[in-house]
PDB file of all heavy atoms in Angstrom:
ATOM      1  N   ASP A 176      76.175  49.169 -18.212  1.00  0.00           N
ATOM      2  CA  ASP A 176      76.402  48.429 -16.973  1.00  0.00           C
ATOM      3  C   ASP A 176      75.465  47.253 -16.801  1.00  0.00           C
ATOM      4  O   ASP A 176      75.441  46.621 -15.735  1.00  0.00           O
ATOM      5  CB  ASP A 176      76.259  49.355 -15.752  1.00  0.00           C
ATOM      6  CG  ASP A 176      74.916  50.012 -15.707  1.00  0.00           C
ATOM      7  OD1 ASP A 176      74.057  49.734 -16.581  1.00  0.00           O
ATOM      8  OD2 ASP A 176      74.636  50.832 -14.752  1.00  0.00           O
ATOM      9  N   GLU A 177      74.740  46.876 -17.860  1.00  0.00           N
ATOM     10  CA  GLU A 177      73.862  45.705 -17.780  1.00  0.00           C
ATOM     11  C   GLU A 177      74.063  44.891 -19.055  1.00  0.00           C
ATOM     12  O   GLU A 177      74.361  45.361 -20.128  1.00  0.00           O
ATOM     13  CB  GLU A 177      72.361  46.115 -17.688  1.00  0.00           C
ATOM     14  CG  GLU A 177      71.991  46.766 -16.357  1.00  0.00           C
ATOM     15  CD  GLU A 177      70.536  47.023 -16.230  1.00  0.00           C
ATOM     16  OE1 GLU A 177      69.778  46.527 -17.125  1.00  0.00           O
ATOM     17  OE2 GLU A 177      70.100  47.675 -15.263  1.00  0.00           O
ATOM     18  N   VAL A 178      73.941  43.571 -18.875  1.00  0.00           N
ATOM     19  CA  VAL A 178      74.037  42.630 -20.031  1.00  0.00           C
ATOM     20  C   VAL A 178      72.659  42.080 -20.364  1.00  0.00           C
ATOM     21  O   VAL A 178      71.994  41.498 -19.526  1.00  0.00           O
ATOM     22  CB  VAL A 178      75.011  41.458 -19.642  1.00  0.00           C
ATOM     23  CG1 VAL A 178      75.130  40.503 -20.837  1.00  0.00           C
ATOM     24  CG2 VAL A 178      76.365  41.982 -19.235  1.00  0.00           C
ATOM     25  N   ASP A 179      72.252  42.303 -21.616  1.00  0.00           N
ATOM     26  CA  ASP A 179      70.995  41.774 -22.079  1.00  0.00           C
ATOM     27  C   ASP A 179      71.047  40.240 -22.115  1.00  0.00           C
ATOM     28  O   ASP A 179      71.906  39.652 -22.767  1.00  0.00           O
ATOM     29  CB  ASP A 179      70.641  42.291 -23.470  1.00  0.00           C
ATOM     30  CG  ASP A 179      69.262  41.944 -23.941  1.00  0.00           C
ATOM     31  OD1 ASP A 179      68.782  40.814 -23.661  1.00  0.00           O
ATOM     32  OD2 ASP A 179      68.620  42.803 -24.556  1.00  0.00           O
ATOM     33  N   MET A 180      70.121  39.588 -21.353  1.00  0.00           N
ATOM     34  CA  MET A 180      70.188  38.132 -21.246  1.00  0.00           C
ATOM     35  C   MET A 180      70.042  37.445 -22.552  1.00  0.00           C
ATOM     36  O   MET A 180      70.663  36.417 -22.836  1.00  0.00           O
ATOM     37  CB  MET A 180      69.171  37.679 -20.220  1.00  0.00           C
ATOM     38  CG  MET A 180      69.512  36.281 -19.675  1.00  0.00           C
ATOM     39  SD  MET A 180      68.331  35.724 -18.378  1.00  0.00           S
ATOM     40  CE  MET A 180      68.463  36.998 -17.145  1.00  0.00           C
ATOM     41  N   SER A 181      69.149  37.959 -23.430  1.00  0.00           N
ATOM     42  CA  SER A 181      68.956  37.358 -24.722  1.00  0.00           C
ATOM     43  C   SER A 181      70.196  37.435 -25.616  1.00  0.00           C
ATOM     44  O   SER A 181      70.492  36.498 -26.353  1.00  0.00           O
ATOM     45  CB  SER A 181      67.756  37.995 -25.454  1.00  0.00           C
ATOM     46  OG  SER A 181      68.046  39.355 -25.748  1.00  0.00           O
ATOM     47  N   LEU A 182      70.961  38.529 -25.462  1.00  0.00           N
ATOM     48  CA  LEU A 182      72.230  38.620 -26.192  1.00  0.00           C
ATOM     49  C   LEU A 182      73.236  37.603 -25.703  1.00  0.00           C
ATOM     50  O   LEU A 182      74.041  37.093 -26.428  1.00  0.00           O
ATOM     51  CB  LEU A 182      72.773  40.021 -26.076  1.00  0.00           C
ATOM     52  CG  LEU A 182      71.972  41.183 -26.792  1.00  0.00           C
ATOM     53  CD1 LEU A 182      72.576  42.525 -26.588  1.00  0.00           C
ATOM     54  CD2 LEU A 182      71.787  40.854 -28.271  1.00  0.00           C
ATOM     55  N   LEU A 183      73.177  37.373 -24.371  1.00  0.00           N
ATOM     56  CA  LEU A 183      74.082  36.391 -23.809  1.00  0.00           C
ATOM     57  C   LEU A 183      73.747  34.977 -24.362  1.00  0.00           C
ATOM     58  O   LEU A 183      74.691  34.220 -24.738  1.00  0.00           O
ATOM     59  CB  LEU A 183      73.860  36.390 -22.273  1.00  0.00           C
ATOM     60  CG  LEU A 183      74.908  35.631 -21.441  1.00  0.00           C
ATOM     61  CD1 LEU A 183      76.281  36.266 -21.563  1.00  0.00           C
ATOM     62  CD2 LEU A 183      74.469  35.616 -19.974  1.00  0.00           C
ATOM     63  N   PHE A 184      72.438  34.693 -24.485  1.00  0.00           N
ATOM     64  CA  PHE A 184      72.060  33.365 -25.080  1.00  0.00           C
ATOM     65  C   PHE A 184      72.506  33.258 -26.549  1.00  0.00           C
ATOM     66  O   PHE A 184      73.007  32.248 -26.981  1.00  0.00           O
ATOM     67  CB  PHE A 184      70.509  33.189 -24.983  1.00  0.00           C
ATOM     68  CG  PHE A 184      70.004  33.132 -23.582  1.00  0.00           C
ATOM     69  CD1 PHE A 184      68.766  33.640 -23.304  1.00  0.00           C
ATOM     70  CD2 PHE A 184      70.752  32.602 -22.554  1.00  0.00           C
ATOM     71  CE1 PHE A 184      68.213  33.605 -22.002  1.00  0.00           C
ATOM     72  CE2 PHE A 184      70.240  32.535 -21.286  1.00  0.00           C
ATOM     73  CZ  PHE A 184      68.990  33.052 -20.955  1.00  0.00           C
ATOM     74  N   LYS A 185      72.324  34.399 -27.263  1.00  0.00           N
ATOM     75  CA  LYS A 185      72.641  34.378 -28.665  1.00  0.00           C
ATOM     76  C   LYS A 185      74.194  34.255 -28.871  1.00  0.00           C
ATOM     77  O   LYS A 185      74.644  33.529 -29.758  1.00  0.00           O
ATOM     78  CB  LYS A 185      72.188  35.655 -29.324  1.00  0.00           C
ATOM     79  CG  LYS A 185      72.298  35.699 -30.820  1.00  0.00           C
ATOM     80  CD  LYS A 185      71.697  37.008 -31.396  1.00  0.00           C
ATOM     81  CE  LYS A 185      70.200  37.073 -31.176  1.00  0.00           C
ATOM     82  NZ  LYS A 185      69.632  38.268 -31.806  1.00  0.00           N
ATOM     83  N   MET A 186      74.946  34.882 -27.992  1.00  0.00           N
ATOM     84  CA  MET A 186      76.397  34.851 -28.064  1.00  0.00           C
ATOM     85  C   MET A 186      76.906  33.411 -27.932  1.00  0.00           C
ATOM     86  O   MET A 186      77.872  33.018 -28.560  1.00  0.00           O
ATOM     87  CB  MET A 186      76.981  35.762 -26.985  1.00  0.00           C
ATOM     88  CG  MET A 186      78.486  35.825 -26.965  1.00  0.00           C
ATOM     89  SD  MET A 186      79.109  37.062 -25.824  1.00  0.00           S
ATOM     90  CE  MET A 186      78.546  36.359 -24.267  1.00  0.00           C
ATOM     91  N   PHE A 187      76.253  32.607 -27.115  1.00  0.00           N
ATOM     92  CA  PHE A 187      76.669  31.228 -26.863  1.00  0.00           C
ATOM     93  C   PHE A 187      75.923  30.253 -27.750  1.00  0.00           C
ATOM     94  O   PHE A 187      76.065  29.020 -27.608  1.00  0.00           O
ATOM     95  CB  PHE A 187      76.448  30.876 -25.390  1.00  0.00           C
ATOM     96  CG  PHE A 187      77.546  31.395 -24.468  1.00  0.00           C
ATOM     97  CD1 PHE A 187      77.413  32.581 -23.844  1.00  0.00           C
ATOM     98  CD2 PHE A 187      78.687  30.625 -24.279  1.00  0.00           C
ATOM     99  CE1 PHE A 187      78.419  33.053 -23.003  1.00  0.00           C
ATOM    100  CE2 PHE A 187      79.718  31.096 -23.448  1.00  0.00           C
ATOM    101  CZ  PHE A 187      79.566  32.335 -22.840  1.00  0.00           C
ATOM    102  N   GLY A 188      75.153  30.755 -28.724  1.00  0.00           N
ATOM    103  CA  GLY A 188      74.491  29.919 -29.695  1.00  0.00           C
ATOM    104  C   GLY A 188      73.436  28.997 -29.082  1.00  0.00           C
ATOM    105  O   GLY A 188      73.287  27.853 -29.503  1.00  0.00           O
TER     106      GLY A 188
END
Side-chain angles (χ1 to χ4, degrees):
D176 58 0
E177 292 186 8
V178 180
D179 188 320
M180 202 177 300
S181 64
L182 293 179
L183 193 64
F184 297 147
K185 189 177 295 185
M186 182 173 63
F187 280 92

